[in-house]
Amino acid sequence: MTDNRIGDGALFSNRQLGIKDENRAPSPIIEHAKGSKLYDVDGNEYTDYCLNCGVNILGHANHNVVLSAKKHAERGICFGATTKAEIDLSRYLIEKIPSLQKVRFVNSGTEATLSAIRLARCVTGRRYVVSFEGMYHGFHGLVPVVHHQEQCCDCSSSGMVLPFNDILAFERAIEKNKNDIACVIMEPVAVHMGIIPARPDFLTAVRDLTKKHGIVLIFDEIMTGFRGFPGCVESELGMVPDLTCLGTVIGGGFPIGVYGGRADMMRWLAPEGNVFQAGTFAANPVILRAGMMTLRLMNENFYKALNRKADRFAQELNMFFEEHQIEARIVQWYSMLSLRFSKRDVNDYKEAQNIQRPGLYTEMFQYLLARHIYFPPVATEPFFISGKHSKADLNDLADAIKTFMKNKGDERC
Ligand code: PMP
């Protein structure tokens, strides 16, 4: 059963495909999920490469995570008071993430970035928020959602959106507005424009200039945190921002957001300081226990096996594209991958836009869905491999992409 009247609130709605209402392909209505598979209400099985925006890194409904949630739910679902779960998970995160001296748990990534930006504004007494084109930090409106062409962002008077990886543009903008800029927020690996890592010299310039002018640097590691190893990009780079936002995998499939960083800044938050931030459902102990269980299960061996699977998959497809002179490439950051219809290197949003072939991608998405493969419907969104994707799952996906791309090549000849 499918229904094309609903589903627009879902992560991957047909609307994102840019298909007019009357021509919309209906979305499957999901009934349950296990491991690498989703099942719709008619019992159709799909291999899931969206994993709810990469949240389900262990695969759906991991036995130990579900048991932990059940066990802790039976002991009381929420208390509105500090719990041992909060202390344990805070300690774990502080140990793994260099910038974290103190942390706060919230209910989503959007809330984490919103709270971090608010804190930066209060600490600096400045208003401007610098972000980079094509990055996504949530829908709160403090940072525009460029790739969704949002119209109603309230940041026109206080936001500056700069090209990513462009040192000169960054230096000029900072020099001109340094006394008004509260913070720079960025993903050190830009996830929503086809996986583009920040160039090391760009990151160094951002860190140096923000430090020099007392501007708060916020890393949004909501997608990259704990994705490839027990840490995040800043752990790998040895570059410490002032504040870091985390989310997705840390809640074990439940809603979560985390922000934290320098203790002197975090002390501005109530009750120690005067910046009020609260949430009825924040730091929910059931979620924090499920998250802690998830992080414990992601040990060295887990990451090694998962990253090896992703490496092999990317290598196999890239070799195939090379051999058949197909203008495509798999771009990869550990188990997060993106299919780019170009072999060119891409450094920013404009270049990412220039290589887009939305019609071709939509066709591929529908081709895969017809083969019961659930793939992101938007070309610039990444796809994910979980600990539960089998060799057979990945072979099916590789074969389907190869066949589709080869047929498209043959059609053009
Ligand atoms: N930042 C980044 C980098 C994201 O990918 C997302 C969404 N996954 C968010 C912020 C917002 O998180 P949420 O959807 O949990 O509000």
Side-chain angles (χ1 to χ4, degrees):
M1 186 176 88
T2 54
D3 189 332
N4 58 10
R5 292 165 306 171
I6 60 170
D8 277 350
L11 192 58
F12 294 123
S13 62
N14 288 310
R15 185 160 294 169
Q16 287 181 301
L17 290 168
I19 297 172
K20 287 205 180 89
D21 274 5
E22 60 272 23
N23 299 327
R24 284 165 60 189
S27 315
I29 296 172
I30 304 305
E31 207 270 331
H32 72 285
K34 183 74 187 161
S36 64
K37 308 292 179 186
L38 294 173
Y39 298 88
D40 73 12
V41 288
D42 295 325
N44 294 310
E45 183 184 272
Y46 301 85
T47 309
D48 183 15
Y49 291 95
C50 296
L51 300 174
N52 192 26
C53 223
V55 165
N56 293 296
I57 189 168
L58 293 172
H60 290 281
N62 175 278
H63 178 70
N64 290 312
V65 175
V66 171
L67 265 190
S68 164
K70 263 189 188 166
K71 179 176 139 191
H72 289 94
E74 277 167 7
R75 299 166 69 171
I77 293 171
C78 53
F79 316 116
T82 304
T83 61
K84 177 81 169 30
E86 192 176 352
I87 296 168
D88 290 348
L89 188 52
S90 303
R91 285 205 172 124
Y92 185 88
L93 296 176
I94 287 168
E95 191 192 303
K96 302 287 182 202
I97 310 292
S99 67
L100 297 188
Q101 294 173 346
K102 277 175 167 287
V103 295
R104 276 275 164 115
F105 294 103
V106 288
N107 299 299
S108 67
T110 299
E111 236 185 276
T113 56
L114 174 148
S115 309
I117 291 170
R118 247 182 107 240
L119 178 62
R121 280 178 159 175
C122 292
V123 170
T124 57
R126 302 172 184 166
R127 200 173 149 64
Y128 273 52
V129 178
V130 172
S131 61
F132 297 98
E133 255 179 335
M135 292 196 184
Y136 181 62
H137 302 294
F139 68 92
H140 40 61
L142 297 174
V143 179
V145 185
V146 176
H147 57 306
H148 283 268
Q149 287 147 8
E150 190 186 59
Q151 304 294 324
C152 59
C153 175
D154 78 346
C155 52
S156 49
S157 61
S158 58
M160 298 170 63
V161 186
L162 302 177
F164 184 43
N165 275 330
D166 184 338
I167 297 179
L168 219 66
F170 184 75
E171 284 174 345
R172 268 198 218 118
I174 297 290
E175 224 24 76
K176 200 164 159 218
N177 302 283
K178 54 184 180 279
N179 297 326
D180 297 317
I181 298 174
C183 63
V184 172
I185 183 163
M186 66 180 294
E187 300 173 68
V189 174
V191 169
H192 301 283
M193 45 176 156
I195 308 185
I196 309 176
R199 290 210 323 257
D201 56 341
F202 178 73
L203 270 182
T204 305
V206 170
R207 181 62 286 189
D208 289 352
L209 272 187
T210 47
K211 201 172 248 171
K212 183 175 165 198
H213 297 298
I215 296 166
V216 177
L217 176 59
I218 305 171
F219 272 5
D220 177 346
E221 299 238 31
I222 284 166
M223 297 297 276
T224 44
F226 295 88
R227 174 80 46 205
F229 51 91
C232 52
V233 181
E234 68 182 66
S235 338
E236 214 175 23
L237 295 174
M239 178 165 300
V240 182
D242 302 299
L243 297 174
T244 299
C245 299
L246 299 162
T248 55
V249 303
I250 288 167
F254 292 96
I256 198 164
V258 184
Y259 73 104
R262 275 170 45 186
D264 63 316
M265 292 183 62
M266 294 298 286
R267 282 200 195 98
W268 279 64
L269 293 171
E272 256 184 295
N274 292 327
V275 181
F276 183 73
Q277 182 259 301
T280 303
F281 296 108
N284 178 291
V286 178
I287 297 179
L288 301 188
R289 285 293 179 210
M292 192 73 246
M293 175 58 77
T294 303
L295 294 174
R296 287 224 170 91
L297 291 170
M298 294 200 290
N299 57 24
E300 207 179 310
N301 287 339
F302 170 83
Y303 281 115
K304 221 187 251 173
L306 177 61
N307 295 333
R308 200 182 305 130
K309 262 196 288 196
D311 291 349
R312 283 197 186 132
F313 177 83
Q315 276 160 16
E316 181 192 331
L317 272 179
N318 283 335
M319 266 168 56
F320 178 85
F321 295 149
E322 229 24 84
E323 272 167 25
H324 293 82
Q325 297 176 338
I326 291 171
E327 191 57 25
R329 182 170 141 196
I330 298 284
V331 194
Q332 183 195 359
W333 197 76
Y334 296 96
S335 56
M336 177 164 64
L337 305 99
S338 179
L339 175 57
R340 190 180 282 169
F341 291 137
S342 171
K343 290 200 193 314
R344 269 191 276 160
D345 284 335
V346 172
N347 279 299
D348 61 26
Y349 180 63
K350 285 211 172 65
E351 288 178 10
Q353 290 285 92
N354 287 341
I355 55 140
Q356 289 276 308
R357 297 179 63 193
L360 181 61
Y361 189 86
T362 300
E363 247 186 88
M364 188 190 75
F365 166 79
Q366 286 173 342
Y367 179 87
L368 295 177
L369 192 61
R371 275 147 197 80
H372 292 231
I373 294 172
Y374 196 69
F375 214 62
V378 181
T380 46
E381 288 296 325
F383 64 97
F384 301 89
I385 295 174
S386 77
K388 283 292 179 192
H389 282 94
S390 65
K391 227 179 188 168
D393 287 336
L394 291 165
N395 285 343
D396 283 350
L397 176 63
D399 289 347
I401 293 176
K402 285 177 190 174
T403 309
F404 175 82
M405 294 302 285
K406 193 141 187 317
N407 289 346
K408 282 287 130 193
D410 293 344
E411 267 174 32
R412 274 197 300 277
C413 290

